[in-house]
Amino acid sequence: QEPLQFIIKSCGECHMAPQAYPPGFITKSEEMTLLELKKYKESILQRLSHSDSNSRMPPKFTPASKVLSDFPEKRVELINFIEKL
């Protein structure tokens, strides 16, 4: 589950805490993280696909943003992974 590992590693800094905003959808358990990702699926897909820099995830100037800019196929892979949840 390489896309899941990428999400945990790259998004965990902001999304691992149990808060409302930004939503804490990453947990210590991969199984629970998948359940949380399903809950936020539509929002995540919208943010991954959005071209507006204020709404797009990951935010500019983060390591994940750099990876997804350098390797656009990675963004497609993540979108496909989330869509299948």
Side-chain angles (χ1 to χ4, degrees):
Q1 294 241 7
E2 201 231 293
L4 179 59
Q5 291 307 310
F6 179 82
I7 291 168
I8 291 169
K9 180 180 176 188
S10 302
C11 308
E13 186 176 326
C14 295
H15 292 285
M16 194 171 267
Q19 68 233 6
Y21 189 83
F25 55 77
I26 298 175
T27 69
K28 293 184 185 209
S29 153
E30 285 187 8
E31 186 176 313
M32 288 299 296
T33 297
L34 285 170
L35 289 173
E36 290 295 309
L37 286 170
K38 285 179 189 178
K39 190 163 56 172
Y40 292 101
K41 177 179 178 174
E42 293 305 316
S43 177
I44 292 169
L45 287 172
Q46 184 178 26
R47 296 280 190 130
L48 282 171
S49 302
H50 213 286
S51 60
D52 174 14
S53 63
N54 292 327
S55 300
R56 189 172 186 138
M57 286 290 136
K60 278 188 174 184
F61 310 113
T62 62
S65 180
K66 172 108 173 83
V67 169
L68 296 181
S69 289
D70 291 348
F71 303 97
E73 68 277 5
K74 188 71 168 170
R75 183 178 297 275
V76 172
E77 181 183 352
L78 286 176
I79 290 171
N80 289 337
F81 174 77
I82 298 294
E83 284 177 335
K84 291 177 184 172
L85 292 177

Coordinates of all heavy atoms in Angstrom, one line a residue:
Q1 N 0.8 -1.2 0.0 CA 0.0 0.0 0.0 C 0.9 1.2 0.0 O 0.8 2.1 0.9 CB -0.9 0.0 1.2 CG -1.9 -1.1 1.2 CD -3.3 -0.6 1.2 OE1 -3.5 0.6 1.1 NE2 -4.3 -1.4 1.3
E2 N 1.7 1.4 -1.1 CA 2.6 2.5 -1.1 C 1.9 3.9 -1.1 O 2.4 4.8 -0.4 CB 3.4 2.4 -2.4 CG 4.7 3.2 -2.3 CD 4.9 4.1 -3.4 OE1 5.2 3.6 -4.5 OE2 4.8 5.3 -3.3
P3 N 0.7 4.1 -1.7 CA 0.1 5.4 -1.6 C -0.3 5.7 -0.2 O -0.2 6.8 0.3 CB -1.1 5.3 -2.5 CG -0.8 4.2 -3.5 CD 0.1 3.3 -2.7
L4 N -0.7 4.7 0.6 CA -1.1 4.9 2.0 C 0.1 5.3 2.8 O 0.1 6.3 3.6 CB -1.7 3.7 2.6 CG -2.1 3.8 4.1 CD1 -3.1 4.9 4.3 CD2 -2.7 2.5 4.6
Q5 N 1.3 4.7 2.5 CA 2.5 5.1 3.2 C 2.9 6.5 2.9 O 3.4 7.2 3.8 CB 3.6 4.1 2.9 CG 3.4 2.7 3.5 CD 3.1 2.7 5.0 OE1 3.8 3.4 5.7 NE2 2.0 2.1 5.4
F6 N 2.8 6.9 1.6 CA 3.1 8.2 1.2 C 2.2 9.2 2.0 O 2.7 10.2 2.5 CB 2.9 8.4 -0.3 CG 3.2 9.8 -0.7 CD1 4.5 10.2 -1.0 CD2 2.2 10.7 -0.9 CE1 4.8 11.5 -1.4 CE2 2.4 12.0 -1.4 CZ 3.7 12.4 -1.6
I7 N 0.9 8.9 2.1 CA 0.0 9.8 2.8 C 0.3 9.9 4.3 O 0.4 11.0 4.8 CB -1.5 9.3 2.6 CG1 -2.0 9.5 1.2 CG2 -2.4 10.0 3.6 CD1 -3.3 8.8 0.8
I8 N 0.6 8.8 4.9 CA 1.0 8.8 6.3 C 2.3 9.6 6.5 O 2.3 10.5 7.4 CB 1.1 7.4 6.8 CG1 -0.3 6.7 6.9 CG2 1.8 7.4 8.2 CD1 -0.2 5.2 7.1
K9 N 3.3 9.4 5.7 CA 4.5 10.0 5.9 C 4.5 11.5 5.5 O 5.0 12.4 6.2 CB 5.6 9.3 5.0 CG 7.0 9.9 5.1 CD 7.9 9.2 4.2 CE 9.3 9.9 4.2 NZ 10.2 9.3 3.2
S10 N 3.8 11.8 4.4 CA 3.8 13.2 3.9 C 2.8 14.1 4.5 O 3.0 15.3 4.6 CB 3.6 13.2 2.4 OG 4.6 12.4 1.8
C11 N 1.7 13.6 4.9 CA 0.6 14.4 5.4 C 0.4 14.3 6.9 O -0.3 15.1 7.5 CB -0.8 13.9 4.8 SG -0.7 13.8 3.0
G12 N 1.2 13.4 7.5 CA 1.0 13.2 9.0 C 1.4 14.4 9.9 O 0.8 14.6 10.9
E13 N 2.3 15.2 9.4 CA 2.7 16.4 10.2 C 1.5 17.2 10.6 O 1.4 17.7 11.7 CB 3.8 17.2 9.5 CG 4.3 18.3 10.3 CD 5.4 19.0 9.6 OE1 6.2 18.4 8.9 OE2 5.5 20.2 9.8
C14 N 0.6 17.4 9.6 CA -0.6 18.3 9.8 C -1.8 17.5 10.2 O -2.7 18.0 10.8 CB -0.8 19.1 8.6 SG 0.4 20.3 8.2
H15 N -1.9 16.3 9.7 CA -3.2 15.5 9.8 C -3.2 14.4 10.8 O -4.0 13.5 10.7 CB -3.6 15.0 8.4 CG -4.0 16.2 7.5 ND1 -5.2 16.8 7.6 CD2 -3.3 16.7 6.4 CE1 -5.2 17.8 6.7 NE2 -4.1 17.7 6.0
M16 N -2.2 14.3 11.7 CA -2.1 13.2 12.6 C -2.7 13.6 14.0 O -3.1 12.7 14.7 CB -0.7 12.7 12.8 CG -0.6 11.3 13.5 SD 1.0 10.6 13.5 CE 0.9 9.6 12.1
A17 N -2.8 14.8 14.2 CA -3.4 15.3 15.5 C -4.9 15.1 15.5 O -5.6 15.3 14.4 CB -3.0 16.7 15.8
P18 N -5.6 14.8 16.6 CA -7.0 14.6 16.6 C -7.8 15.9 16.8 O -8.3 16.2 17.8 CB -7.2 13.7 17.9 CG -6.1 14.1 18.8 CD -4.9 14.4 17.9
Q19 N -7.8 16.7 15.7 CA -8.4 18.0 15.8 C -9.4 18.1 14.6 O -9.4 17.3 13.7 CB -7.4 19.1 15.7 CG -6.7 19.1 14.3 CD -5.2 19.1 14.3 OE1 -4.6 18.9 15.4 NE2 -4.6 19.2 13.2
A20 N -10.2 19.1 14.7 CA -11.2 19.3 13.6 C -10.6 19.9 12.4 O -11.0 19.6 11.3 CB -12.4 20.2 14.1
Y21 N -9.6 20.8 12.6 CA -9.0 21.5 11.4 C -7.5 21.7 11.6 O -7.2 22.3 12.7 CB -9.7 22.8 11.1 CG -9.2 23.4 9.8 CD1 -9.8 23.0 8.6 CD2 -8.2 24.3 9.8 CE1 -9.3 23.5 7.4 CE2 -7.7 24.8 8.6 CZ -8.3 24.4 7.4 OH -7.8 24.9 6.2
P22 N -6.7 21.3 10.8 CA -7.0 20.4 9.7 C -7.4 19.1 10.2 O -7.0 18.7 11.3 CB -5.7 20.3 8.8 CG -4.6 20.6 9.8 CD -5.2 21.5 10.8
P23 N -8.3 18.4 9.5 CA -8.8 17.1 10.1 C -7.7 16.1 10.3 O -6.8 15.9 9.5 CB -9.8 16.6 9.0 CG -9.5 17.4 7.8 CD -8.9 18.7 8.2
G24 N -7.8 15.5 11.5 CA -6.8 14.5 11.9 C -7.2 13.1 11.4 O -7.7 12.3 12.1
F25 N -7.1 12.8 10.1 CA -7.5 11.6 9.5 C -6.4 10.5 9.5 O -6.7 9.4 9.1 CB -8.1 11.8 8.1 CG -7.1 12.5 7.1 CD1 -6.1 11.8 6.5 CD2 -7.4 13.8 6.8 CE1 -5.3 12.5 5.6 CE2 -6.6 14.4 5.9 CZ -5.5 13.8 5.3
I26 N -5.2 10.8 10.0 CA -4.1 9.9 10.0 C -4.0 9.4 11.5 O -3.8 10.2 12.4 CB -2.8 10.4 9.5 CG1 -3.0 10.8 8.0 CG2 -1.7 9.4 9.7 CD1 -1.8 11.5 7.4
T27 N -4.1 8.1 11.7 CA -4.0 7.5 13.0 C -2.7 6.6 13.1 O -2.0 6.5 12.1 CB -5.2 6.7 13.4 OG1 -5.3 5.6 12.6 CG2 -6.5 7.6 13.2
K28 N -2.5 6.1 14.3 CA -1.4 5.1 14.4 C -1.6 3.8 13.7 O -0.7 3.0 13.5 CB -1.0 5.0 15.9 CG -0.5 6.2 16.5 CD -0.1 6.0 17.9 CE 0.3 7.4 18.4 NZ 1.2 7.4 19.5
S29 N -2.9 3.5 13.4 CA -3.2 2.3 12.8 C -3.6 2.5 11.3 O -4.4 3.4 11.0 CB -4.5 1.7 13.5 OG -5.2 0.9 12.6
E30 N -3.0 1.7 10.4 CA -3.3 1.8 9.0 C -4.8 1.6 8.7 O -5.4 2.2 7.9 CB -2.4 0.9 8.2 CG -1.0 1.4 8.0 CD -0.2 0.5 7.1 OE1 -0.7 -0.4 6.4 OE2 1.0 0.7 7.0
E31 N -5.3 0.6 9.4 CA -6.7 0.2 9.2 C -7.6 1.4 9.6 O -8.6 1.8 8.9 CB -7.1 -1.0 10.1 CG -8.5 -1.5 9.9 CD -8.7 -2.7 10.7 OE1 -7.9 -3.7 10.7 OE2 -9.8 -2.8 11.4
M32 N -7.4 2.1 10.7 CA -8.2 3.2 11.1 C -7.9 4.4 10.2 O -8.8 5.2 9.9 CB -7.8 3.6 12.6 CG -8.3 2.7 13.6 SD -10.1 2.5 13.6 CE -10.6 4.2 14.1
T33 N -6.7 4.6 9.7 CA -6.4 5.6 8.8 C -7.2 5.4 7.5 O -7.8 6.4 7.0 CB -4.9 5.7 8.5 OG1 -4.2 6.0 9.7 CG2 -4.6 6.8 7.4
L34 N -7.3 4.2 7.0 CA -8.1 4.0 5.8 C -9.6 4.3 6.1 O -10.2 4.9 5.2 CB -8.0 2.5 5.4 CG -6.7 2.1 4.7 CD1 -6.5 0.6 4.6 CD2 -6.5 2.8 3.4
L35 N -10.1 4.0 7.2 CA -11.5 4.3 7.6 C -11.7 5.8 7.6 O -12.7 6.3 7.1 CB -11.9 3.7 8.9 CG -12.1 2.2 8.9 CD1 -12.3 1.7 10.4 CD2 -13.2 1.8 8.0
E36 N -10.7 6.5 8.2 CA -10.8 8.0 8.2 C -10.7 8.6 6.8 O -11.4 9.6 6.5 CB -9.7 8.6 9.2 CG -10.0 8.3 10.6 CD -11.2 9.0 11.1 OE1 -11.3 10.2 10.9 OE2 -12.1 8.3 11.7
L37 N -9.8 8.0 6.0 CA -9.7 8.5 4.6 C -11.0 8.4 3.9 O -11.4 9.3 3.1 CB -8.5 7.8 3.9 CG -7.1 8.2 4.3 CD1 -6.1 7.2 3.7 CD2 -6.8 9.6 3.9
K38 N -11.7 7.3 4.1 CA -13.0 7.1 3.5 C -13.9 8.1 3.9 O -14.7 8.6 3.1 CB -13.5 5.7 3.8 CG -12.8 4.6 3.1 CD -13.4 3.2 3.5 CE -12.6 2.1 3.0 NZ -13.1 0.8 3.4
K39 N -13.9 8.5 5.1 CA -14.8 9.5 5.7 C -14.6 10.9 5.0 O -15.5 11.6 4.8 CB -14.6 9.6 7.2 CG -15.6 10.4 7.9 CD -15.7 10.2 9.4 CE -14.4 10.4 10.1 NZ -14.6 10.4 11.6
Y40 N -13.3 11.2 4.7 CA -13.0 12.5 4.1 C -12.7 12.4 2.6 O -12.2 13.3 2.0 CB -11.7 13.1 4.8 CG -12.0 13.5 6.2 CD1 -11.6 12.7 7.3 CD2 -12.6 14.7 6.5 CE1 -11.9 13.1 8.6 CE2 -12.9 15.1 7.8 CZ -12.5 14.2 8.8 OH -12.8 14.6 10.1
K41 N -13.1 11.3 2.0 CA -12.8 11.0 0.6 C -13.1 12.1 -0.3 O -12.2 12.6 -1.1 CB -13.5 9.7 0.2 CG -13.3 9.3 -1.2 CD -14.1 8.0 -1.5 CE -14.0 7.6 -2.9 NZ -14.7 6.3 -3.1
E42 N -14.3 12.6 -0.3 CA -14.7 13.7 -1.3 C -13.9 14.9 -1.1 O -13.5 15.6 -2.1 CB -16.2 14.0 -1.1 CG -17.1 12.8 -1.6 CD -16.8 12.3 -3.0 OE1 -16.7 13.1 -3.9 OE2 -16.7 11.1 -3.2
S43 N -13.7 15.3 0.1 CA -12.9 16.5 0.4 C -11.5 16.4 0.0 O -10.9 17.3 -0.6 CB -13.0 16.9 1.9 OG -12.2 18.0 2.2
I44 N -10.9 15.2 0.3 CA -9.5 15.0 -0.1 C -9.4 15.0 -1.7 O -8.4 15.6 -2.2 CB -9.0 13.6 0.4 CG1 -8.9 13.7 2.0 CG2 -7.7 13.2 -0.2 CD1 -8.7 12.4 2.7
L45 N -10.3 14.3 -2.4 CA -10.2 14.3 -3.8 C -10.4 15.7 -4.4 O -9.6 16.1 -5.3 CB -11.4 13.4 -4.4 CG -11.1 11.9 -4.2 CD1 -12.4 11.2 -4.6 CD2 -9.9 11.5 -5.0
Q46 N -11.2 16.5 -3.8 CA -11.4 17.9 -4.3 C -10.1 18.7 -4.0 O -9.7 19.4 -4.9 CB -12.6 18.5 -3.5 CG -12.9 19.9 -4.0 CD -14.0 20.5 -3.3 OE1 -14.4 20.2 -2.2 NE2 -14.7 21.5 -4.0
R47 N -9.5 18.5 -2.9 CA -8.3 19.3 -2.6 C -7.1 18.8 -3.4 O -6.3 19.6 -3.9 CB -7.9 19.1 -1.1 CG -8.9 19.7 -0.1 CD -8.7 21.1 0.0 NE -9.5 21.7 1.0 CZ -9.0 22.5 1.9 NH1 -7.7 22.8 1.9 NH2 -9.8 23.0 2.8
L48 N -7.0 17.5 -3.7 CA -5.9 17.0 -4.5 C -6.0 17.5 -6.0 O -5.1 17.6 -6.7 CB -5.8 15.5 -4.5 CG -5.2 14.8 -3.3 CD1 -5.4 13.3 -3.3 CD2 -3.7 15.1 -3.2
S49 N -7.3 17.7 -6.4 CA -7.5 18.1 -7.8 C -7.6 19.6 -8.0 O -7.6 20.0 -9.1 CB -8.9 17.4 -8.3 OG -8.8 16.0 -8.1
H50 N -7.7 20.3 -7.0 CA -8.0 21.8 -7.0 C -6.7 22.5 -7.6 O -5.6 22.2 -7.2 CB -8.3 22.3 -5.7 CG -9.3 23.4 -5.7 ND1 -8.9 24.7 -6.1 CD2 -10.6 23.5 -5.4 CE1 -10.0 25.5 -6.0 NE2 -11.0 24.7 -5.6
S51 N -7.0 23.5 -8.4 CA -5.8 24.3 -8.9 C -5.6 25.6 -8.1 O -4.6 26.2 -8.3 CB -6.1 24.6 -10.4 OG -7.2 25.3 -10.6
D52 N -6.6 26.0 -7.3 CA -6.5 27.2 -6.5 C -5.5 26.9 -5.4 O -5.7 26.0 -4.6 CB -7.8 27.6 -5.9 CG -7.8 28.7 -5.0 OD1 -6.8 29.4 -4.9 OD2 -8.8 28.9 -4.2
S53 N -4.4 27.7 -5.4 CA -3.4 27.4 -4.4 C -3.8 27.6 -2.9 O -3.2 27.0 -2.0 CB -2.1 28.3 -4.6 OG -2.5 29.7 -4.5
N54 N -4.9 28.3 -2.7 CA -5.4 28.4 -1.3 C -6.2 27.2 -0.8 O -6.3 27.0 0.3 CB -6.3 29.6 -1.2 CG -5.6 30.9 -1.3 OD1 -4.4 31.0 -1.0 ND2 -6.2 31.9 -2.0
S55 N -6.7 26.4 -1.8 CA -7.4 25.2 -1.4 C -6.7 23.9 -1.7 O -7.1 22.9 -1.2 CB -8.7 25.2 -2.3 OG -9.5 26.3 -2.0
R56 N -5.7 24.0 -2.5 CA -5.0 22.7 -3.0 C -4.2 22.1 -1.8 O -3.6 22.8 -1.0 CB -4.0 23.1 -4.1 CG -3.5 21.9 -4.8 CD -2.7 22.3 -6.0 NE -2.2 21.1 -6.7 CZ -2.3 20.9 -7.9 NH1 -2.7 21.9 -8.7 NH2 -1.8 19.8 -8.5
M57 N -4.3 20.8 -1.8 CA -3.5 20.0 -0.9 C -2.5 19.2 -1.7 O -2.9 18.6 -2.7 CB -4.4 19.1 0.0 CG -5.1 19.9 1.1 SD -4.0 20.5 2.3 CE -4.6 22.2 2.5
P58 N -1.3 18.9 -1.2 CA -0.8 19.6 0.0 C -0.4 21.0 -0.3 O -0.3 21.4 -1.4 CB 0.5 18.8 0.3 CG 0.8 18.1 -1.1 CD -0.4 18.0 -1.8
P59 N -0.3 21.8 0.8 CA 0.0 23.3 0.6 C 1.4 23.4 -0.1 O 2.3 22.6 0.0 CB 0.1 23.8 2.0 CG -0.6 22.8 2.9 CD -0.5 21.5 2.2
K60 N 1.5 24.5 -0.8 CA 2.8 24.9 -1.4 C 3.9 24.9 -0.4 O 3.6 25.2 0.8 CB 2.7 26.2 -2.1 CG 2.0 26.2 -3.5 CD 2.2 27.6 -4.1 CE 1.7 27.5 -5.5 NZ 1.9 28.7 -6.2
F61 N 5.1 24.7 -0.8 CA 6.3 24.7 0.0 C 6.4 23.7 1.0 O 7.1 23.8 2.0 CB 6.4 26.1 0.6 CG 6.3 27.2 -0.4 CD1 5.2 28.1 -0.4 CD2 7.2 27.4 -1.5 CE1 5.1 29.1 -1.3 CE2 7.0 28.4 -2.5 CZ 6.0 29.2 -2.4
T62 N 5.6 22.6 0.9 CA 5.7 21.5 1.8 C 6.5 20.4 1.0 O 6.4 20.4 -0.2 CB 4.4 20.9 2.3 OG1 3.6 20.5 1.1 CG2 3.6 22.0 3.1
P63 N 7.2 19.5 1.7 CA 7.9 18.4 1.0 C 6.9 17.6 0.1 O 7.3 17.2 -1.0 CB 8.4 17.5 2.1 CG 8.6 18.5 3.3 CD 7.4 19.4 3.2
A64 N 5.7 17.3 0.5 CA 4.8 16.5 -0.3 C 4.4 17.3 -1.5 O 4.3 16.7 -2.6 CB 3.5 16.2 0.5
S65 N 4.2 18.6 -1.4 CA 3.9 19.4 -2.6 C 5.0 19.4 -3.6 O 4.8 19.3 -4.8 CB 3.7 20.9 -2.2 OG 3.3 21.7 -3.3
K66 N 6.3 19.4 -3.2 CA 7.4 19.3 -4.1 C 7.4 18.0 -4.8 O 7.6 17.9 -6.0 CB 8.7 19.5 -3.3 CG 10.0 19.2 -4.0 CD 10.7 20.5 -4.3 CE 12.0 20.2 -5.0 NZ 12.0 20.0 -6.4
V67 N 7.2 16.9 -4.1 CA 7.2 15.6 -4.7 C 6.1 15.5 -5.8 O 6.3 15.0 -6.9 CB 6.9 14.5 -3.6 CG1 6.6 13.1 -4.3 CG2 8.1 14.3 -2.7
L68 N 4.9 16.0 -5.4 CA 3.8 15.9 -6.4 C 3.9 16.9 -7.5 O 3.4 16.6 -8.6 CB 2.4 16.2 -5.6 CG 2.1 15.2 -4.6 CD1 0.7 15.5 -4.0 CD2 2.0 13.8 -5.1
S69 N 4.7 17.9 -7.4 CA 5.0 18.8 -8.5 C 6.1 18.2 -9.4 O 6.0 18.3 -10.6 CB 5.6 20.2 -8.0 OG 4.6 20.9 -7.4
D70 N 7.1 17.6 -8.8 CA 8.1 16.9 -9.5 C 7.7 15.7 -10.2 O 8.2 15.3 -11.3 CB 9.3 16.6 -8.7 CG 10.0 17.9 -8.2 OD1 9.8 19.0 -8.7 OD2 10.9 17.8 -7.3
F71 N 6.7 15.0 -9.6 CA 6.2 13.7 -10.2 C 4.7 13.7 -10.3 O 4.0 13.2 -9.4 CB 6.7 12.5 -9.3 CG 8.2 12.5 -9.1 CD1 8.8 13.0 -8.0 CD2 9.0 11.9 -10.1 CE1 10.2 13.0 -7.8 CE2 10.4 11.8 -9.9 CZ 11.0 12.4 -8.8
P72 N 4.2 14.4 -11.3 CA 2.7 14.5 -11.4 C 2.0 13.2 -11.4 O 0.8 13.1 -11.0 CB 2.5 15.3 -12.7 CG 3.8 15.5 -13.3 CD 4.8 15.1 -12.4
E73 N 2.6 12.2 -11.9 CA 2.0 10.8 -11.9 C 1.7 10.4 -10.4 O 0.8 9.6 -10.2 CB 2.8 9.8 -12.6 CG 4.2 9.4 -12.0 CD 5.3 10.4 -12.2 OE1 5.1 11.5 -12.8 OE2 6.4 10.1 -11.8
K74 N 2.5 10.9 -9.5 CA 2.2 10.5 -8.1 C 0.9 11.1 -7.6 O 0.1 10.4 -6.9 CB 3.4 11.0 -7.2 CG 3.3 10.6 -5.8 CD 3.7 9.1 -5.7 CE 3.9 8.7 -4.3 NZ 4.0 7.3 -4.2
R75 N 0.6 12.3 -8.0 CA -0.7 12.9 -7.7 C -1.9 12.1 -8.3 O -2.9 11.8 -7.6 CB -0.8 14.3 -8.2 CG -2.1 15.0 -7.8 CD -2.2 16.5 -8.2 NE -1.2 17.3 -7.6 CZ -1.3 17.9 -6.4 NH1 -2.4 17.8 -5.7 NH2 -0.3 18.7 -6.0
V76 N -1.7 11.6 -9.5 CA -2.7 10.8 -10.2 C -2.8 9.5 -9.4 O -3.9 9.0 -9.2 CB -2.3 10.5 -11.6 CG1 -3.2 9.5 -12.3 CG2 -2.3 11.8 -12.4
E77 N -1.7 8.9 -9.0 CA -1.7 7.7 -8.2 C -2.5 7.8 -6.9 O -3.3 7.0 -6.5 CB -0.3 7.2 -7.9 CG -0.2 5.9 -7.1 CD 1.3 5.6 -6.8 OE1 2.2 6.2 -7.3 OE2 1.4 4.6 -6.1
L78 N -2.3 9.0 -6.2 CA -3.0 9.2 -5.0 C -4.5 9.4 -5.2 O -5.3 8.9 -4.4 CB -2.4 10.5 -4.3 CG -1.1 10.3 -3.6 CD1 -0.6 11.7 -3.1 CD2 -1.1 9.3 -2.5
I79 N -4.8 10.1 -6.2 CA -6.2 10.3 -6.6 C -6.9 9.0 -6.9 O -8.0 8.7 -6.4 CB -6.4 11.3 -7.7 CG1 -6.0 12.7 -7.3 CG2 -7.8 11.3 -8.3 CD1 -5.9 13.8 -8.4
N80 N -6.3 8.2 -7.6 CA -6.8 6.8 -7.9 C -7.0 6.0 -6.7 O -8.0 5.3 -6.5 CB -5.9 6.1 -9.0 CG -6.0 6.7 -10.3 OD1 -7.0 7.4 -10.7 ND2 -5.0 6.5 -11.1
F81 N -6.0 6.1 -5.8 CA -6.0 5.3 -4.5 C -7.2 5.8 -3.7 O -8.0 4.9 -3.2 CB -4.7 5.5 -3.8 CG -4.7 4.9 -2.4 CD1 -4.6 3.6 -2.2 CD2 -4.9 5.7 -1.3 CE1 -4.5 3.0 -1.0 CE2 -4.8 5.2 0.0 CZ -4.7 3.8 0.1
I82 N -7.4 7.1 -3.5 CA -8.5 7.6 -2.7 C -9.8 7.3 -3.4 O -10.8 6.9 -2.7 CB -8.4 9.1 -2.5 CG1 -7.1 9.5 -1.8 CG2 -9.6 9.7 -1.8 CD1 -7.0 9.0 -0.4
E83 N -9.9 7.4 -4.7 CA -11.2 7.1 -5.4 C -11.7 5.7 -5.1 O -12.8 5.4 -5.1 CB -11.1 7.3 -6.9 CG -11.1 8.8 -7.3 CD -10.8 9.0 -8.8 OE1 -10.2 8.1 -9.4 OE2 -11.3 10.0 -9.3
K84 N -10.7 4.7 -5.0 CA -11.0 3.3 -4.8 C -11.4 3.0 -3.4 O -11.9 1.8 -3.1 CB -9.9 2.5 -5.3 CG -9.6 2.5 -6.8 CD -8.4 1.7 -7.2 CE -8.2 1.8 -8.6 NZ -6.9 1.2 -9.1
L85 N -11.3 3.9 -2.5 CA -11.7 3.6 -1.1 C -13.1 3.4 -0.9 O -13.9 4.0 -1.6 CB -11.2 4.7 -0.2 CG -9.7 4.9 0.0 CD1 -9.4 6.1 0.9 CD2 -9.1 3.6 0.6

